[in-house]
Amino acid sequence: MSSSFGLLLRSLRQAAQLTIEELSHASGVSVRAIGDMERGVSRGPQKRTVGALAEALQLDDARRVELIEAARAGRPRPSGPVAGACELPREAGDFTGRARELELLRHLAEQAGTGEATVVATISGTAGIGKTALAVHAARHLAELFSDGRFYVDLRGMDSAPQAPGAVLSRLLKALGVAEQRIPGDDEERARLYRELLIDRRCLIVLDNAADEVQVQPLLPASGPGMTIITSRRSLTGLAGVRQVPLTELSNEEAAGLLESIVGKQRIEADPDSAAELARLCGNLPLAVRIAGNRLQSRPGWTIGQLAGRLEDEGRRLEALAVGDLAVTAAFTLSYQQVSGLARIAFRRLALAAGSDFGIPLAAIVLQADPFEAEDALEELVELGLLASPYAGRYVYHDLVRLYARAQLEQEEPVEAREAARRRMETWLLEVAVVAGRWFEPGYGAPPPEWRSAVTLDSREAAGEWLQAEGVAWLEALRSAARRNEHGTVVEVAESMHWFSDRVRRWGHWREVFELSSGAARAMGDRLQEAVHLNYLSWALSVCEGRMEESETTALRAFELAGEVGDLRQQGWALFYAGWPDYGDPAKLEREVDYSRRAADLLLQAADLEGYPQARMTHILNLRRAGQTQEALRCSLALVAALRDPSYGGSPAIVAYSLGAALSHLGLTYVALERWTEAVDAFHQAVPVLTSHSVPPALAYTHRGLGIALRELGRVEEARQALAEAARLFEEDGDDAQAADVVKKLEEIGEN
């Protein structure tokens, strides 16, 4: 049966002698929509639609009013919101933090009604991150902006059978005041009626715990002044035109604030350090912090430190984070149950990874799958909030989620399968580490053409990036190899790192790497290899950690071992490291001059044409420190001349770098002699050579010396540029003390 609006529209169109197509063209309303109106399918169109039709029909005021009234009469006229239906759940009253997200939601709420489309925001994140708490808190505090009501529905997205959209629409329609007998039986008609009701209403709808986009799509109003907030463990990226509000764990301050709001300020102030530690052990996850706070509330005799002590044990932590019907494990289980086969295996087994984050290639090795399958599995876990992806290609667990994954691994896979996965991962990590490290070794470079792996190392830069990104992982694999007495593997990996380590001195683990390798060589009974790796260890102790006394002792032990096997080269290197400048102990300077002189002589005698220049430059430095500047100048000039001689030999790349470094030392020696013009000339020759070899420390010292010499010559602007570049390079290398010293010199130039 046609509605009165439909009959009136048809009669007015016919009176205007227009076809439906002509009216559509004139009004901008689709042919289908006009047809639905005339047939009574759409009985109460929107005001702007009615206005467009009236304008196209050129109606006078009386007819226009008649058409508007007919449309109004055709719209459903519910009695108004039903008290108690779809009402917001109770808040705990101790909501803390999320200031940025609340500000964003308020901004979106204030925008509601300013455009045609309704405002939709999705709050997503892992289990226990506080999605529902944020949505409900925001809804309560935005009440003044939504005069027609705020409504809440739990979509039960983690249940085995989430709520059907039709059932949700029925509940919302009842809450909006539609009598049950007027609710259409067809889901599409329910959705149409729901959208019509919200065209003119300022309502806030909270759709909590959504399963996926398919469940949510029919529940979204097309237009109107309202707002819809959706929460989900999935990111719901398939929804168009929505504002994403992803949640991560609370900040340290927010977590401490939540704990304080639960247990009280006095209890926190009694032991603030333990409170901070308790929040850390909870991973700053709101659910875990709330459970910990509730446990303390129910046990007034416990101190915060006692509960923190119970959580220290990783094996008991998840079990301890349960109180009443709240449990971290239960929250994670709901997500885990949604995961498909390969992603479920990935979730469990990647908990074996030692690093805080990991990449797709490592996942492919653990899963014995190709990288595309591995990436799909990882992205499924991200979609469900079980992993985060802080940047492209890298994935990370929340601390508590990792513990849950480890527990599932132990429960669901036998020991043999777990160990096989671990060995496969660690073997791959060490294999790739060797190949990546050798990119920096003279005589190696790119991997052999036949080498195949889940990771591509097609450049020195890619190799360096991989070594740093997976540093924690391959180091742990190296430790495992050492525990299994795989001595040859340990020595091979450490040997491949020799040249790379000099480029990344501040990594923080080189001492351990070379302690493991020298210990492995000793266990093998190989005195020469032990000497080699003790020399590497001496370098790490002095250059990386400033432990000069231990470095000297280690180097002298290497010298002793190399002497026993008659290896002049390693004897030379041992004295080179023993003679490394110790600026903190001037009493050692005479020994250092002697060590470095003997080192250079031994390396030259051993025909180590790459090592000799380094030992000679250390000797030149020690001569300058000892005030023997003229002798330092003689040695510098002789070294530069030797390296420039085409008959010198050695690796062209290393000799070229050594020439640049020797020119820099020559410049520094001229600075010590206050021969500024000659210093500038030497530095200018050194800079392009060192720049081409990308060694920031050597280049930084060169620019600093150049800046000093230029300042003394009155070439102030050039001096500023050189010193500014030195400061940048020192900062890039992580040497804050030297950077600060150079900045001070720059300020002095400015004052003058």
Side-chain angles (χ1 to χ4, degrees), residues 37-355:
M37 293 175 208
E38 292 193 359
R39 291 194 308 274
V41 175
S42 177
R43 292 169 288 186
Q46 302 175 33
K47 287 180 180 179
R48 58 178 174 270
T49 300
V50 177
L53 291 169
E55 191 69 28
L57 291 167
Q58 298 182 354
L59 300 181
D60 58 26
D61 290 346
R63 284 292 192 182
R64 180 186 292 268
V65 169
E66 184 181 2
L67 189 65
I68 291 171
E69 289 300 322
R72 183 179 291 118
R75 293 184 192 129
R77 283 180 282 182
S79 56
V82 177
C86 294
E87 66 180 352
L88 294 171
R90 171 184 166 274
E91 268 198 286
D94 50 23
F95 184 89
T96 304
R98 305 298 191 199
R100 185 185 65 81
E101 290 84 359
L102 285 168
E103 183 180 353
L104 172 58
L105 290 171
R106 175 166 286 279
H107 174 70
L108 293 172
E110 290 169 348
Q111 285 185 331
T114 61
E116 289 191 6
T118 192
V119 172
V120 180
T122 61
I123 301 174
S124 60
T126 192
I129 204 71
K131 301 178 292 294
T132 300
L134 173 60
V136 171
H137 184 77
R140 292 195 180 280
H141 286 261
L142 296 173
E144 79 279 5
L145 297 176
F146 298 100
S147 55
D148 294 314
R150 294 157 298 147
F151 304 92
Y152 170 93
V153 181
D154 183 355
L155 301 182
R156 309 186 71 84
M158 291 294 104
D159 288 7
S160 57
Q163 289 215 55
V168 176
L169 285 166
S170 180
R171 289 184 60 191
L172 286 167
L173 288 170
K174 288 177 186 177
L176 289 166
V178 178
E180 188 163 358
Q181 61 271 24
R182 293 199 62 191
I183 296 176
D186 180 74
D187 285 355
E188 288 188 12
E189 282 295 300
R190 286 182 185 180
R192 180 193 61 76
L193 178 57
Y194 178 65
R195 289 193 293 269
E196 285 186 1
L197 284 174
L198 294 180
I199 286 171
D200 301 313
R201 295 191 182 196
R202 286 192 64 81
C203 294
L204 174 59
I205 312 294
V206 177
L207 302 174
D208 191 25
N209 193 15
D212 51 32
E213 292 91 339
V214 173
Q215 183 191 32
V216 168
Q217 192 68 60
L219 310 178
L220 300 182
S223 60
M227 179 177 180
T228 299
I229 298 176
I230 307 164
T231 76
S232 179
R233 297 188 187 188
R234 298 180 184 271
S235 57
L236 303 180
T237 52
L239 295 177
V242 305
R243 182 61 181 266
Q244 301 278 345
V245 186
L247 292 189
T248 58
E249 61 268 19
L250 299 172
S251 67
N252 293 338
E253 294 74 18
E254 290 173 332
L258 176 57
L259 190 61
E260 180 181 308
S261 68
I262 298 170
V263 305
K265 187 174 183 178
Q266 184 176 3
R267 208 165 174 185
I268 297 295
E269 288 180 343
D271 193 355
D273 292 341
S274 291
E277 177 65 6
L278 181 59
R280 184 192 68 79
L281 291 168
C282 290
N284 289 356
L285 188 74
L287 175 62
V289 174
R290 180 170 298 284
I291 290 170
N294 288 353
R295 289 200 73 178
L296 287 170
Q297 264 195 321
S298 64
R299 294 165 176 80
W302 281 22
T303 67
I304 297 176
Q306 285 172 327
L307 179 56
R310 292 174 71 90
L311 297 186
E312 280 285 354
D313 183 352
E314 288 189 350
R316 299 175 56 194
R317 190 175 304 166
L318 291 179
E319 180 184 340
L321 287 172
V323 60
D325 61 352
L326 291 178
V328 168
T329 299
F332 295 156
T333 298
L334 288 174
S335 291
Y336 183 58
Q337 290 171 343
Q338 306 289 317
V339 178
S340 66
L342 190 62
R344 183 173 288 212
I345 296 171
F347 176 71
R348 296 193 302 263
R349 290 186 181 174
L350 284 166
L352 295 168

Side-chain angles (χ1 to χ4, degrees), residues 440 460-461 463-465 467-469 471 474 497-511 514 539-540 543-544 694-697 732-734:
F440 301 88
R460 190 176 277 194
E461 291 71 25
E465 288 171 4
L467 285 169
Q468 293 182 77
W474 69 254
M497 296 296 153
H498 173 48
W499 284 74
F500 174 70
S501 62
D502 198 45
R503 288 173 172 264
V504 192
R505 297 179 179 183
R506 301 182 187 280
W507 179 43
H509 299 286
W510 293 123
R511 175 178 58 82
F514 297 126
W539 168 85
V543 175
C544 302
S694 302
V695 183
E732 181 182 298
D733 192 46

Side-chain angles (χ1 to χ4, degrees), residues 106 115 178 193 276 302 359 432 490 516 557 610 620 656 660 725 735:
R106 175 166 286 279
V178 178
L193 178 57
W302 281 22
V432 178
V490 173
L516 290 172
R557 174 57 183 158
E610 291 85 11
I620 292 166
E725 181 63 8
D735 195 334

Side-chain angles (χ1 to χ4, degrees), residues 2 45 56 101 231 243 262 292 294 305 334 357 393 403 416 422 432 513 525 554 573 575 579 612 684 693 696:
S2 296
E101 290 84 359
T231 76
R243 182 61 181 266
I262 298 170
N294 288 353
L334 288 174
D357 63 338
L403 293 181
E416 296 79 10
R422 186 190 300 277
V432 178
V513 168
T554 302
W573 278 111
L575 291 177
Y612 164 72
H684 275 154
H693 285 80

